[in-house]
Amino acid sequence: MTQPPDPSAADRPGAEGSGLERLVAERRAKVDTLRADGVDPFPRAFPNRVGTAAVRAAYDDLAAGEESAQTVRVAGRLTGRRGQGKLAFCDLEDRDGRIQLWASLDRLGQVAMDLLLSLDLGDLVGVEGPVTRTKRGELSIAVTAVELLAKSLRPPPDKHAGLRDPETRYRQRYLDLMSNADVRSAFIVRAKTIAAVRAFLDARGFIEVETPCLQPIYGGAAARPFVTHHNQLDRDLYLRIAPELYLKRCIVGGLEKVYELGKDFRNEGVSYKHNPEFTMVETYEAYVDYRAVAEMLEQLVAHAAIAATGSARVDWREHTIDFTPPWRRLDLRTAIREASGIDVRTHSDPDSLRAAMRAAGHDAPESESWAKLVDGLLTQTLEPTLIQPTFLLDYPLELSPFAKRTPDDPDTVERFEAFAGGMEIANAFTELNDPDDQAERFATQQADRAAGDEEAQPMDEDFLVALEHGMPPTGGLGLGIDRLVMLLTGASSIREVVLFPAMRT
């Protein structure tokens, strides 16, 4: 078989015209030839394969020109080839990285050598042979056997130019993962982060539970839900915006320390830190308050950072963020006043606060409530400055319908938000467990809904009944996994850490 030329950038995936069609046709013709020769281009397995990282670790001490006595079997995607005829060097990549294949006619024989030289970039191959280090110092597999494991019918992204177009990267993430080692690394960090969060909570006696994603009444946050209809039950259901109210029912039932790590869904805008579906971990622990939760959170995040990256200090843009406990703690009202020059309690009605914000040059929409104006002032003035991990403590009651009041101020609740990298990463309360107080908060939310606030919490009578059975003092936490991974990987957008983000059609 003849080797087609390496496709140019114009012939890569997404290119228009006949160049790509020609390359695909040539690759399909190779499939036909392989089958005619009795070679299956899509075999079922390649047993006893080891990863390239394991090979490098086991044979790192080989000297230049030395060859191992044992053979190994590695498999991956062919990403480069140099040479023809009697000698060729190829690059094989798997999840762990790249290793060189050293192929020679005298080791392989003519049939196997012809097969190797006929392969295209992007093909998945398995090889066997001893590990050797070339005279130039490159750890390599001296190939004694080669097998095509999956024929790539389309050319891969250009190895040197890389895959840079964001639309292609997000819509065809498989190409992004295939061509960008740093992207693969980011999602490995994500997986390690999630595993570390679970391990930390399990070790502290939490149990992981599962609550409904389809809920008859959504709740636990201020957000618009996605709605669907169940045909058999003939009722509308909502994709959850949070698992909070179900997890609290578990606390009422006596499970005492529970968490859920999974997807939430909010029908809201898309931004560099918002995706319509996102991953959260929520924890609820009986008999503790929000200050105990803060101590647990800073330990949890430091533990996850070390497990995922090797250090509690991570590079993020031009900063180094240090997650080592303890984190800075600030009073919310004081911090907003120092950042904006506005005391939100002095301007205690929406018109007054709106006027003060506009006078200071801040955005203050006419229709927003006082609570949303406070949140907007925080977002515009204070949040971008919180690069190092910081707790903002003690929030206005109007912003927190599920948090317990502070003992010395009925207008303030025991709540914190945690920030790092200029964005919120976590939210926590001393949970409200007084059913009468909760009923009053629900009533206030209903008034807001009647006034046009689509994000206000709907009434949940069953949750009130649960509280009437008695919920112990409880500390609750929500930690955004996507945003945490953004910080651990240095990503500037949530789309960089969500494998398949929401995109416009």
Side-chain angles (χ1 to χ4, degrees):
M1 302 173 220
T2 59
Q3 172 69 19
D6 185 31
S8 67
D11 294 326
R12 299 297 173 175
E16 301 292 338
S18 61
L20 178 59
E21 295 173 2
R22 173 180 55 81
L23 290 168
V24 171
E26 289 176 350
R27 290 181 178 226
R28 286 189 174 277
K30 287 190 175 186
V31 169
D32 295 337
T33 301
L34 287 166
R35 285 179 170 143
D37 292 342
V39 178
D40 183 358
F42 302 99
R44 287 170 175 76
F46 188 74
N48 303 317
R49 170 251 181 187
V50 296
T52 58
V55 173
R56 290 188 176 280
Y59 296 98
D60 185 59
D61 58 352
L62 277 181
E66 186 180 358
E67 184 176 293
S68 69
Q70 302 80 27
T71 62
V72 298
R73 287 165 62 85
V74 299
R77 194 175 296 276
L78 193 67
T79 59
R81 185 173 55 236
R82 302 163 295 284
Q84 290 282 351
K86 296 183 179 182
L87 185 66
F89 293 93
C90 303
D91 296 326
L92 179 145
E93 283 194 17
D94 64 5
R95 188 182 72 183
D96 300 329
R98 183 192 68 86
I99 196 163
Q100 180 172 267
L101 308 181
W102 176 13
S104 61
L105 180 61
D106 59 343
R107 284 183 186 264
L108 271 174
Q110 192 66 57
V111 173
M113 191 68 177
D114 287 347
L115 173 62
L116 180 65
L117 293 177
S118 73
L119 297 176
D120 294 302
L121 299 187
D123 287 352
L124 288 151
V125 298
V127 300
E128 183 174 350
V131 182
T132 185
R133 193 175 294 279
T134 66
K135 292 181 180 180
R136 294 185 177 183
E138 180 77 15
L139 196 70
S140 306
I141 309 296
V143 182
T144 58
V146 60
E147 182 178 354
L148 175 63
L149 301 180
K151 182 65 184 173
S152 173
L153 299 180
R154 290 177 175 269
D158 183 80
K159 179 179 178 181
H160 300 291
L163 187 64
R164 303 301 177 199
D165 177 56
E167 285 286 313
T168 303
R169 290 184 55 233
Y170 301 147
R171 291 183 189 277
Q172 295 178 275
R173 181 68 85 181
Y174 48 90
L175 294 178
D176 196 23
L177 293 166
M178 181 191 306
S179 59
N180 294 325
D182 56 338
V183 174
R184 293 198 300 272
S185 176
F187 286 103
I188 292 171
V189 168
R190 181 187 178 99
K192 290 180 177 179
T193 300
I194 290 172
V197 168
R198 282 194 164 104
F200 178 92
L201 294 171
D202 292 344
R204 291 176 70 102
F206 284 82
I207 61 171
E208 184 173 11
V209 299
E210 295 174 292
T211 65
C213 285
L214 285 174
Q215 301 180 348
I217 300 175
Y218 63 92
R224 293 177 59 188
F226 291 95
V227 61
T228 188
H229 188 78
H230 192 287
N231 294 331
Q232 182 67 33
L233 298 177
D234 192 23
R235 67 181 302 183
D236 285 343
L237 295 171
Y238 304 91
L239 282 174
R240 71 181 181 195
I241 60 175
E244 175 174 342
L245 302 189
Y246 284 92
L247 292 173
K248 288 181 182 177
R249 288 170 168 92
C250 294
I251 297 296
V252 171
L255 293 183
E256 294 187 350
K257 298 172 76 170
V258 297
Y259 76 92
E260 184 168 12
L261 198 159
K263 293 286 190 180
D264 293 333
F265 310 86
R266 298 181 185 177
N267 197 352
E268 58 189 11
V270 175
S271 76
Y272 77 94
K273 58 182 180 178
H274 293 94
N275 193 60
E277 62 174 303
F278 56 98
T279 303
M280 291 278 291
V281 60
E282 290 204 17
T283 73
Y284 292 85
E285 180 176 359
Y287 310 114
V288 304
D289 66 4
Y290 74 138
R291 294 188 183 276
V293 174
E295 292 177 2
M296 182 186 77
L297 174 64
E298 59 192 0
Q299 294 172 30
L300 167 61
V301 171
H303 170 81
I306 293 169
T309 71
S311 174
R313 293 168 56 88
V314 297
D315 293 331
W316 185 80
R317 299 183 185 178
E318 68 272 20
H319 305 281
T320 297
I321 297 177
D322 189 352
F323 289 111
T324 305
W327 298 357
R328 180 173 58 161
R329 287 156 167 78
L330 301 175
D331 171 72
L332 175 71
R333 176 183 177 182
T334 302
I336 289 179
R337 184 177 65 240
E338 292 178 352
S340 68
I342 299 172
D343 187 331
V344 296
R345 282 302 182 192
T346 299
H347 302 281
S348 57
D349 65 86
D351 291 337
S352 175
L353 181 55
R354 187 178 295 109
M357 290 174 64
R358 289 176 175 175
H362 305 305
D363 184 39
E366 190 67 34
S367 60
E368 289 196 344
S369 65
W370 182 86
K372 288 194 172 183
L373 290 171
V374 173
D375 190 56
L377 187 60
L378 164 64
T379 301
Q380 294 176 65
T381 64
L382 177 58
E383 183 174 1
T385 71
L386 302 177
I387 304 301
Q388 296 302 322
T390 302
F391 292 113
L392 295 183
L393 300 164
D394 300 337
Y395 276 57
L397 172 66
E398 295 87 341
L399 278 169
S400 312
F402 294 108
K404 187 181 286 290
R405 289 179 169 90
T406 58
D408 55 349
D409 183 357
D411 294 325
T412 303
V413 297
E414 294 189 346
R415 173 189 178 186
F416 73 73
E417 287 183 302
F419 295 82
M423 62 184 173
E424 177 204 349
I425 61 170
N427 185 29
F429 308 147
T430 301
E431 300 294 341
L432 181 58
N433 62 344
D434 179 338
D436 295 332
D437 193 352
Q438 182 64 79
E440 292 178 8
R441 308 274 189 98
F442 274 139
T444 300
Q445 292 284 301
Q446 301 324 294
D448 291 341
R449 287 176 67 84
D453 185 354
E454 295 180 337
E455 296 184 351
Q457 167 72 52
M459 177 68 73
D460 191 334
E461 296 285 357
D462 181 73
F463 178 65
L464 291 176
V465 171
L467 287 185
E468 288 173 352
H469 284 84
M471 186 177 86
T474 299
L477 167 71
L479 169 64
I481 296 296
D482 307 309
R483 294 185 184 180
L484 176 58
V485 176
M486 285 175 64
L487 296 174
L488 297 183
T489 59
S492 59
S493 169
I494 195 171
R495 292 182 173 184
E496 297 289 345
V497 298
V498 173
L499 270 172
F500 303 102
M503 304 286 289
R504 294 185 185 275
T505 56

